[in-house]
Amino acid sequence: MQNEMSADLLPQKLAKSRPLFDGDILRRAIGESFRKLNPMTLAKNPVIFVVEVGALMTTVLLARDVATGSSEFSFNIQIALWLWFTVLFANFAEAMAEARGKAQADSLRKTKTDSIAKRMLSNGHSEKVAASQLRAGDIVICEAGDIIPGDGEVVDGIATVDESVITGESAPVIRESGGDRSAVTGGTRVLSDEIKIRITSNPGETFLDRMIALVEGAERHKTPNEIALNILIAGLTLIFLLAVVTLQPFSQYSATAAGSGAVPSVAVLVSLLVCLIPTTIGGLLSAIGIAGMDRVMQHNVLAMSGKAVEASGDVNTLLLDKTGTLTIGNRQAVEFLPVQGVSDTELAEAAQLSSLADETPEGRSVVVLAKEKYGLRGRELAQHEAHFIPFSAYTRMSGVDINSDRLRKGATDSIVQFVREQGGTVPDDLKEIAERISRQGGTPLAVANGQRALGVIHLKDVVKGGMKERLAQLRRMGIQTVMITGDNPLTAAAIAAEAGVDNFLAQASPADKLNYIKKEQAEGRLVAMTGDGTNDAPALAQADVGLAMNTGTMAAKEAGNMVDLDSNPTKLIEVVAIGKQLLITRGALTTFSIANDVAKYFAIIPAMFMATYPALCALNVMGLNNPKSAVLAAVIFNALIIIALVPLALRGVKYRAGSADALLRRNLLVYGLGGLVVPFPAIWLIDRLVHALGWA
Amino acid sequence: MTSNGVLQIALYFLAVLAIAKPMGAYMARVFAGERTFAHPLLRPLEKGLYRLVGVTEDTEQRWTAYAGSLLSFSFFSFLFVYLLQRMQAALPLNPQKLSSATPDLAFNTAVSFTTNTNWQAYAGETTMSYLVQMSALTVQNFASAAAGVAIAIALIRGLARQQEKTIGNFWVDLTRAVVYLFLPLSLAGALFFCSQGVIQTFSGYTTATTVEGKEQVIAQGPVASQEAIKMVGTNGGGFFNANSAHPFENPTPLTNFVQMLMIFLIPAGLTYTFGRMVGDQRQGWALFAAMSILFLAGVFVIYAAEQSGNPNLTRLGLAAADGNWEGKETRFGIATTSLFAAITTAASCGAVIGMHDSFTPLGGLATLFNMQSGEVIFGGAGAGLYGMLLFAILAVFIAGLMVGRTPEYLGKKIEGKEVKMAMLALIATSAAILLFTGASSVVSFSKDSYWNAGYGPATGNLNNAGPHGFAEVLYAYSSAAGNNGSAFAGLSANTPWYNLTLGVAMLVGRFLIIIPMLAVAGSLAGKKRLAVTTGTLPTHGPLFVGLLVGTVIIIGALTFFPALSLSPVVEHFLMQQGGRF
């Protein structure tokens, strides 16, 4: 369903999204649309409330038509019906958006079974209690197969945990005491080993509870921009109310002056009012907001408030961690640089052999490079007398002894020492090559065979594919990117240039991050960042958008205003795009709604005064059949357009990364000019239909 | 349209373009308290005034205090003008022994002049003594215009400042506007007008014998001194009922050109001042461009409509060769009169050289729309700028969302409070126009009632029937709520009903825009300025100008479409079919 969005910015998440019009959701929404007719609930939406009052008035007046046997009855009842439809359609839009959240909440709630917890007692024994009886501070013990009874921190042990309940990801994750992977979530299941957990939340306040409340919309507050937009459309409603109410005396004067015609009926005046007030945006506004939250959710990001989603559209600066976000996290061999007197092939071969048993990504990349660049295939070593030397923190080397060859690769210093120990001399250019690689932001890995130093493998941070393009898109959107890394400035600068970030923060401590954010904010920029560690918490809290990783600590998750259940820091870019899309959808539909009014005036005003001033026929530019069909056509169009735009409101308008100027030009053309033009043929068509069907 | 006519319009527009920058730069310096070439002469006067009234020059006010000062100043101004009119008969400088004004007329006139509307329910030469004209009305011509400029400056400060609580000092801004702008300009203008033959005298009226041997009373008075400020302060209240069509007020083509230029002098200059004060000149030119587009559109609609004339007369073979001459001074011609009409209605001035009531329906429609769009097409001194900024805020809010950010203007977030205030202003003025027009088109009094004595129903005051009559009422309230002051004529408005309702419309149109806009200024001044990136909606390019023009037109059109279609629009179609009113 996300394919409406820019394909390059927002990777598709088809697997997790629900179809827009799921049967169950649809049924639920239709029922809810009728329940929402309650004026008490509707009063919160001034535009639609006015429509309901109008519908009520025309309906009540139908009784008078019946009593007097008025010939207007058939027209008036149609108007009344369509006005009720208008209200229902608007309710339906909101109900649809809510129902999608509720459906998700239900599936979450199903997983929330009350499990039995083993609570540790002070004497070292454990007792069985219901999970709902646990309080923050209790220590529980969980072993393979147990459901973790509440949110907490692992205080002892290590275990694999299945968190698919909340993340949808079936691969288990490791949770261990200490460090940044100690947080566990209630409702997830321990798959292996045993851990002790200190419970950190009271019943009803767990992460899962909050998640349910959020997707259900129970905690939904109107966002600041939504409130402001509501004021605008309520104000416009009031202005149109004035314009229509005063039409009554105006037409009374005109009818007297012209000596013909009469004051338009209540049904016609109400029709005009309903057509003019911004019912399209009024009916869709809250649906847009809910759907925006829902879209974030579908990307497996949990936004703690709609305000956070809105703020992400405003972000000017993205702080991106180098490792895992910009680079793929592992260094890769990119080049073999032999010392003088050694051939490329000899070095490559030695490097490959020394890495055959090295299962680290770096080691594998050496084998792959040798194969790709020099056509060296990984040979079967079984027939040889091969003895592998594993890497140790003490020697900082690994390698293999084959026959008489003693192949080693490792940190330059270690290899130098190894060669000397073997009685060899180190060529002068070895260190030079190693330093050159360091300067370029790479990591040198020296290779030796016994007493001969052969050369250096260039290991490099590899920037994720397509990252440069995405960052360029962000730049076009006016967002600057800042790379955060623990590397020295030299290395950082090289990688920053390669990835195409605008700026970098090298040898960054958590305090540096916090200060950088504060500095950016003081200069009037909004900052977004990701983080997972406890020491990230202050920066996450300070940032305008703080996306915490679900694998991170509780402190980080509490501090951020969003949690990424997939723990994928790159997601920040998508969150920004969704925020922007949400705001664009609001603006586009508001513009569309207002622009629509022009055509409606041209349909209704000549119809209203045809009897008083036949000359006003000249304004009937659409050539509508007769006054009644014209008014009906406008009212029907006004109602149907709400329904027609529900999918757009729920999906969001198409968003393309680009400068504000380009975006505005495009959207003004589509929704401004489109909003001006589209109703003319549409109303004309409806008028023909209404006439052909004999409705008017 | 003739090439001569188009050339006149082009020449005028180029002159406006040329004066905007020097005028704007000068004002920016004046209101920032920087030295200008006028300081050696005027600074002592300014300082003397502060000492006299006890104002500390560098104490600033929050928006509430600023608004409070403005309101109290306006209230006492109103009271003074009201009382002076009521006691006119007993006061000196009244050679014609004119009687005191009635309470409702005095109310209407006092409101009218303190709100910079200068709607005149009376004929000046037969109602107001020299004393009232000079010390009440002319003083208000200065004061109300200066107050308008002060508000505009305060709003600009709100946009220009960040994280500050104050927006300037009303008394200082008011004093500076009078001392450095209106006094020197009026003085120079009055001397120039005298040189061109505009009269300036304290003697009573002259009785002359015409060539036909009949007796004629020739009204006169201190005209030149009022003429300059009438234009430069976008006041428009003429000394004579015929206003600038009268040869004593506007004797030559040169005075006419200068008068037109004086109307736009401050409103156009303020757009440049705005750019200078917010630190981005392009922002000012964008507003200037939007105003210019709307203005030129109005000019050419009027000119084309007037030039094409009345098809009914053409059919009868009675039409002048080059269009509709009814209600126009032959000295000025169709092009100049069209241009003047567009200027005076766009700029909320209200001075006239032709009778708008006699325009063709489409010409009348354009003048009406100029006022109903909120008097933002250059607009009144100061009022035009803060009115246009109101629309800029709305345009940014609606369309700004479409760039994917919460709306901001000049780095200031536009949020609930700003939108609320902008909408309040918009609703208030629309309500004043629509509700009073609605009431007047149906309300009925007995012929001998106090409220509308001699006329009976409020529609009894109309000189014309049908849609044209309706347009007269609509025009009156649009003019009042827009603080324009020009009249469509054709409506005998000097009755308690019209004096009071028009007075209230003027108050609404002035203060229910000023107070919300000052609140916006206060709110914006306190906000942080956000950094500008390529993701920010640019508010200086052609796209934004188009957007702003579109917003002004759409909001105005949507609000008044029904009313307009029952007046000039239907009248136009009826005229095509041979109808007369």
Side-chain angles (χ1 to χ4, degrees), chain B residues 308-321:
Chain B
S308 66
N310 186 333
N312 295 329
L313 292 177
T314 317
R315 231 168 278 140
L316 295 170
L318 295 174

Side-chain angles (χ1 to χ4, degrees), chain A residues 97-431:
Chain A
E98 285 171 354
R100 285 159 66 79
K102 288 212 177 88
Q104 195 157 5
D106 284 352
S107 64
L108 280 173
R109 207 174 272 125
K110 276 184 205 137
T111 67
K112 213 186 132 201
T113 46
D114 197 11
S115 51
I116 298 295
K118 282 171 273 184
R119 181 161 61 185
M120 298 285 290
L121 298 170
S122 48
N123 60 13
H125 295 289
S126 64
E127 57 166 357
K128 290 197 171 178
V129 295
S132 57
Q133 284 180 314
L134 292 172
R135 290 290 178 275
D138 287 348
I139 308 270
V140 296
I141 189 158
C142 289
E143 52 197 72
D146 286 352
I147 288 192
I148 296 175
D151 294 354
E153 301 237 19
V154 180
V155 288
D156 191 22
I158 177 166
T160 50
V161 178
D162 172 10
E163 295 195 337
S164 59
V165 177
I166 49 168
T167 63
E169 180 64 55
S170 55
V173 293
I174 290 177
R175 292 284 176 254
E176 59 187 331
S177 63
D180 288 343
R181 291 193 296 178
S182 62
V184 289
T185 312
T188 57
R189 182 183 295 271
V190 177
L191 292 179
S192 72
D193 304 287
E194 186 183 277
I195 41 175
K196 280 184 191 157
I197 298 163
R198 186 176 52 238
I199 298 296
T200 51
S201 62
N202 291 323
E205 296 166 12
T206 64
F207 191 65
L208 200 60
D209 290 319
R210 262 161 66 201
M211 201 162 146
I212 291 170
L214 278 168
V215 296
E216 208 170 30
E219 283 181 20
R220 205 179 106 76
H221 298 290
K222 282 194 176 133
T223 60
N225 175 260
E226 210 176 332
I227 292 171
L229 192 53
N230 246 320
I231 294 170
L232 179 91
I233 60 178
L236 286 176
T237 304
L238 204 55
I239 289 180
F240 288 126
L241 193 64
L242 285 167
V244 173
V245 164
T246 52
L247 249 186
Q248 210 270 351
F250 293 175
S251 48
Q252 192 179 323
Y253 167 89
S254 303
T256 315
S260 64
V263 175
S265 72
V266 172
V268 171
L269 283 173
V270 169
S271 299
L272 177 63
L273 176 63
V274 169
C275 284
L276 292 178
I277 60 178
T279 45
T280 314
I281 183 66
L284 297 175
L285 185 54
S286 60
I288 296 170
I290 300 169
M293 291 277 282
D294 191 48
R295 255 195 317 279
V296 173
M297 190 69 210
Q298 281 180 36
H299 278 77
N300 256 3
V301 173
L302 202 58
M304 297 304 165
S305 69
K307 198 177 164 184
V309 180
E310 206 171 276
S312 55
D314 281 349
V315 162
N316 307 93
T317 304
L318 283 188
L319 300 193
L320 300 169
D321 279 322
K322 185 197 80 176
T323 312
T325 310
L326 294 172
T327 65
I328 52 178
N330 302 305
R331 288 152 204 259
Q332 297 209 321
V334 290
E335 206 178 355
F336 296 117
L337 297 162
V339 294
Q340 236 164 9
V342 177
S343 75
D344 288 6
T345 329
E346 190 187 350
L347 171 62
E349 195 165 355
Q352 190 186 39
L353 284 170
S354 68
S355 305
L356 279 177
D358 184 351
E359 282 301 313
T360 62
E362 285 91 348
R364 263 178 279 151
S365 76
V366 172
V367 176
V368 170
L369 182 71
K371 192 161 80 183
E372 282 176 355
K373 217 162 175 183
Y374 300 97
L376 299 174
R377 307 195 59 82
R379 275 144 299 179
E380 189 53 57
L381 290 175
Q383 70 253 39
H384 299 288
E385 193 64 24
H387 173 62
F388 290 106
I389 318 289
F391 177 85
S392 86
Y394 176 69
T395 61
R396 300 203 293 152
M397 290 189 301
S398 66
V400 64
D401 293 343
I402 310 174
N403 307 328
S404 60
D405 288 339
R406 292 166 63 79
L407 303 173
R408 295 290 183 278
K409 73 171 199 297
T412 318
D413 296 348
S414 314
I415 295 294
V416 166
Q417 202 187 345
F418 171 76
V419 169
R420 289 204 177 121
E421 276 168 14
Q422 300 292 316
T425 50
V426 180
D428 297 337
D429 51 347
L430 184 78
K431 281 210 151 170

Side-chain angles (χ1 to χ4, degrees), chain A residues 646-658:
Chain A
V646 167
L648 187 71
L650 295 186
R651 279 184 197 142
V653 305
K654 201 165 179 154
Y655 173 65
R656 290 208 185 111

Side-chain angles (χ1 to χ4, degrees), chain B residues 259-278:
Chain B
Q259 290 198 356
M260 293 194 296
L261 206 55
M262 285 169 98
I263 299 178
F264 273 2
L265 184 60
I266 287 177
L270 274 174
T271 61
Y272 190 88
T273 310
F274 167 73
R276 175 69 60 94
M277 285 175 73
V278 299

Side-chain angles (χ1 to χ4, degrees), chain A residues 225 229 235-236 246 249-250 253 313-314 475-478 521 524 580 583-584 588 591 601 605 613 618 660-661 663-664 667, chain B residues 397 401-407 413 416 423 434 438 466 470 528 530-531 533-538 558 562-563 565 570 573:
Chain A
N225 175 260
L229 192 53
L236 286 176
T246 52
F250 293 175
Y253 167 89
D314 281 349
R475 195 168 308 116
R476 276 204 300 282
M477 288 153 67
Q521 288 173 334
K580 286 194 176 294
L583 295 171
I584 293 175
T591 310
Y601 261 137
I605 291 291
Y613 292 127
D661 208 43
L663 275 175
L664 182 63
N667 289 327
Chain B
F397 185 78
L401 282 171
M402 286 196 289
V403 307
R405 294 174 61 85
T406 56
K413 278 259 169 269
M423 288 312 287
L434 289 171
F470 182 64
K528 202 158 74 176
L530 300 174
T533 68
T534 52
T536 315
L537 170 76
L558 291 183
S565 49
V570 71
F573 293 126

